[in-house]
Amino acid sequence: MDKIAVLIPCYNEAKTIEKVVTDFRRELPEAVIYVYDNNSSDGTDEIARKAGAVVRYEYQQGKGNVIRRMFAEIDAECYVMVDGDDTYPADQVQPLVDKVLNKKADMVVGDRLSSTYFEENKRPFHNFGNSIVRGSINLLFKNDIKDIMTGYRAFSYRFVKTFPVLSKGFEIETEMSIHAIDKNMYVENSVIEYRDRPEGSESKLNTYSDGFKVIKTIIRLFKTYRPLAFFGVIALILAVISGAFFVPIFVHYTKTGLVPKIPTLIMSGFVMIAALQSLFTGLILQTMYAKNRQDFEMELNRVTREARDDK
């Protein structure tokens, strides 16, 4: 097991990868630096290899697929994940590593949003999107992670080996954050500076399509991790709709003894049945979720013992 592993997922980062690898070798001389090339066509892998990194490959396109491969293949006491675009300073990595190794944090978030991100980032919709995602997740999942979508993080062994990677692309950071919150992992924030990409280096993010994927991921994970709240909201909306159609019919019946608009009354009844079905679906899934949480805690204990034995 490595003491520290620096994980750098890369896709066409030839302009910056040498500097990133060199900077992290200087700051963490005891670390093994892994560059996972994701079908680059600009020689990123050879440049990284010459700079001293261990180069491996993931042929399924997408950052989530690369992270899945990294987490499966590498064993370390502390993992540092960083992008290969030189937007995150290597000289601020030590606090992240210290919090994992010395404070037993499971995930340390490199917080860009509390420092220079909004000044450095030249894409206003990215700024807006980061704020919306951070606010919605902290509201829905009752936490205070300062930067949900940062690519600069440190992880413990037990986080990495119990994190089920489901996302294929850039929404992976959102999935990591929600997993840590839901599983009551010890999460720390560490403020870091952020600098925009150097001239000639192009972002792989698409503001709208990737933003839409992130929103879908939040909804999917909210349904998975908070099923009673998710289906309870649907049940409430359906019940309100049913009541809005039923009340006027009921009022008319109390005054005249007649039931007008029979089809509307029938529709109202079916909508109320759907509301009850949604509510009971949430209750059943909430019970299953509670059992999954118990199973996860047992798996977490097993992985923790495994890490202790491997040291």
Side-chain angles (χ1 to χ4, degrees):
M1 181 183 291
D2 300 328
K3 180 76 172 179
I4 303 170
V6 178
L7 313 182
I8 310 175
C10 278
Y11 172 59
N12 288 341
E13 299 291 2
K15 292 183 179 297
T16 55
I17 188 60
E18 181 179 5
K19 182 176 184 301
V20 173
V21 172
T22 302
D23 287 352
F24 276 91
R25 287 185 67 194
R26 182 186 66 246
E27 297 297 327
L28 297 171
E30 72 276 32
V32 180
I33 299 177
Y34 296 90
V35 170
Y36 273 66
D37 185 82
N38 193 207
N39 301 310
S40 295
S41 58
D42 62 353
T44 295
D45 54 343
E46 286 303 319
I47 297 172
R49 190 175 287 112
K50 290 177 181 178
V54 176
V55 177
R56 295 179 180 175
Y57 298 89
E58 170 55 49
Y59 296 104
Q60 290 191 91
Q61 197 65 40
K63 188 175 182 178
N65 291 323
V66 181
I67 298 300
R68 181 188 297 112
R69 180 74 63 186
M70 288 176 159
F71 283 5
E73 293 184 351
I74 298 170
D75 293 335
E77 293 181 41
C78 174
Y79 301 76
V80 176
M81 184 183 78
V82 66
D83 293 338
D85 56 9
D86 195 32
T87 56
Y88 299 109
D91 59 8
Q92 296 178 26
V93 70
Q94 201 61 55
L96 281 74
V97 172
D98 289 343
K99 287 176 180 178
V100 171
L101 294 179
N102 300 324
K103 294 186 67 176
K104 306 302 180 185
D106 291 301
M107 182 174 74
V108 184
V109 173
D111 175 18
R112 310 161 296 169
L113 305 188
S114 298
S115 61
T116 57
Y117 182 79
F118 294 108
E119 291 77 24
E120 285 287 323
N121 186 48
K122 304 303 188 296
R123 294 157 292 184
F125 283 107
H126 282 213
N127 296 341
F128 177 73
N130 269 285
S131 298
I132 290 295
V133 170
R134 176 177 62 176
S136 62
I137 287 180
N138 287 334
L139 174 65
L140 292 173
F141 292 90
K142 303 295 186 294
N143 207 269
D144 191 31
I145 294 181
K146 300 298 185 183
D147 191 347
I148 299 295
M149 300 176 68
T150 178
Y152 200 11
R153 299 170 188 249
F155 307 100
S156 67
Y157 177 86
R158 70 177 199 158
F159 178 94
V160 165
K161 297 305 179 182
T162 59
F163 172 54
V165 182
L166 302 178
S167 298
K168 297 179 180 179
F170 284 99
E171 63 272 25
I172 183 68
E173 286 95 352
T174 303
E175 187 176 349
M176 287 175 174
S177 300
I178 294 177
H179 173 78
I181 295 169
D182 177 73
K183 295 304 187 291
N184 196 29
M185 295 285 195
Y186 177 24
V187 179
E188 283 267 5
N189 297 288
S190 183
V191 177
I192 60 163
E193 292 182 0
Y194 175 88
R195 52 183 177 245
D196 206 5
R197 281 174 170 267
E199 187 175 351
S201 175
E202 296 182 2
S203 174
K204 314 306 182 299
L205 284 171
N206 183 292
T207 301
Y208 302 104
S209 64
D210 287 314
F212 183 64
K213 289 177 184 177
V214 168
I215 292 172
K216 285 202 306 182
T217 299
I218 294 173
I219 295 172
R220 171 175 61 82
L221 294 176
F222 184 65
K223 180 184 69 173
T224 301
Y225 293 140
R226 300 290 186 271
L228 184 56
F230 180 85
F231 287 100
V233 168
I234 295 176
L236 178 61
I237 293 172
L238 292 174
V240 169
I241 293 173
S242 175
F245 284 100
F246 174 75
V247 168
I249 297 173
F250 181 74
V251 170
H252 188 275
Y253 172 77
T254 58
K255 290 180 178 179
T256 65
L258 300 175
V259 179
K261 302 179 180 179
I262 296 296
T264 302
L265 179 63
I266 294 173
M267 183 275 292
S268 174
F270 277 115
V271 172
M272 183 56 72
I273 291 172
L276 292 172
Q277 286 180 324
S278 181
L279 177 61
F280 282 105
T281 297
L283 289 170
I284 293 169
L285 291 176
Q286 187 70 28
T287 302
M288 295 172 63
Y289 164 78
K291 178 63 169 63
N292 288 339
R293 280 295 308 271
Q294 293 174 345
D295 293 341
F296 176 82
E297 287 300 319
M298 298 302 295
E299 175 67 8
L300 195 64
N301 290 336
R302 184 192 67 78
V303 171
T304 302
R305 288 195 301 271
E306 177 183 288
R308 186 170 57 245
D309 293 342
D310 287 346
K311 285 185 181 180

